[in-house]
Amino acid sequence: MHVLVAYATKYGATRGIAERIAEVLRQAGLQVTLAEVDRAGSPTAYDAVVLGSGVYAGRWLAPAAAYLKTHAGALAERPTWLFSSGPTGSGDPVALMQGWRFPQDLQALAEQIRPRDVAFFHGAIWPEKLNLAERLILKALKAPIGDFRDWAMIEGWARRITAALAEA
Ligand SMILES: Cc1cc2nc3c(=O)[nH]c(=O)nc-3n(C[C@H](O)[C@H](O)[C@H](O)COP(=O)(O)O)c2cc1C
């Protein structure tokens, strides 16, 4: 079973999450290709796909959104899992983002693809990497600064993927 773990990242937080997911899948004996989404190629080369993106102003990064649009048909034909990396701060990510779970503009596509699950993980913000506009936005929003990625939550989700694929 060959699984693609593809991601879009601006500052590396989502890459780290994708790497951890890939590690858990490999430990379970799956063949895994880990790739930035614009280098991932078609989903038709894989038996299953895990696709994730960092969230900016409520939207996925453009390369991840484009991949979902371009390959919706192929993704619908194979087990697909989607995840977003976003909120900083402790507590449930959906509660932290006032009920937000997945980009509004991609919801119809996601319904078409029928992913096995759609996860929303805590993200990470490294202020020194941000441009001035981004720093000002985060200051105005009073967003907590730091690495809030919840590795136990991420690994648990990845283990559920391995369990589902073992049944497939
Ligand atoms: C300017 C800016 C806007 C952001 N907007 C959102 C948002 O709307 N929703 C959210 O959950 N997280 C938001 N975040 C947090 C990022 O999604 C989070 O830091 C994520 O882990 C970044 O992933 P990346 O480093 O892979 O790009 C924002 C961060 C920045 C810097």
Side-chain angles (χ1 to χ4, degrees), residues 8-15 17 53-59 61 85-88 97 100 120-126 130 133-135 137-138 141 149:
T9 185
K10 194 166 179 193
Y11 294 116
T14 312
R15 176 183 300 115
I17 293 172
S53 176
V55 180
Y56 289 82
R59 305 182 75 154
L61 290 166
S85 124
T88 49
M97 294 316 285
W100 191 98
F120 191 23
F121 296 127
H122 299 90
I125 290 169
W126 296 282
L130 304 180
E134 290 173 333
R135 261 182 253 167
I137 291 168
L138 292 185
L141 294 173
R149 289 172 295 177

Side-chain angles (χ1 to χ4, degrees), residues 9-150:
T9 185
K10 194 166 179 193
Y11 294 116
T14 312
R15 176 183 300 115
I17 293 172
E19 283 169 353
R20 189 64 64 93
I21 291 168
E23 217 172 282
V24 171
L25 266 51
R26 282 193 186 115
Q27 278 165 7
L30 294 160
Q31 184 189 350
V32 179
T33 293
L34 172 70
E36 198 136 7
V37 70
D38 41 14
R39 292 163 169 243
S42 167
T44 53
Y46 304 94
D47 301 302
V49 176
V50 181
L51 172 66
S53 176
V55 180
Y56 289 82
R59 305 182 75 154
W60 266 18
L61 290 166
Y67 193 87
L68 208 66
K69 281 179 197 146
T70 307
H71 299 292
L75 292 171
E77 285 167 2
R78 47 198 33 77
T80 296
W81 283 262
L82 305 176
F83 72 90
S84 302
S85 124
T88 49
S90 46
D92 174 52
V94 177
L96 281 171
M97 294 316 285
Q98 291 84 39
W100 191 98
R101 280 174 189 278
F102 190 71
Q104 184 87 41
D105 61 327
L106 298 177
Q107 253 156 33
L109 262 183
E111 273 163 36
Q112 195 183 319
I113 292 164
R114 284 176 289 110
R116 298 296 180 95
D117 196 22
V118 180
F120 191 23
F121 296 127
H122 299 90
I125 290 169
W126 296 282
E128 67 280 6
K129 295 185 181 178
L130 304 180
N131 62 42
L132 181 60
E134 290 173 333
R135 261 182 253 167
L136 291 173
I137 291 168
L138 292 185
K139 203 170 167 192
L141 294 173
K142 298 192 173 72
I145 300 298
D147 186 350
F148 290 88
R149 289 172 295 177
D150 183 337

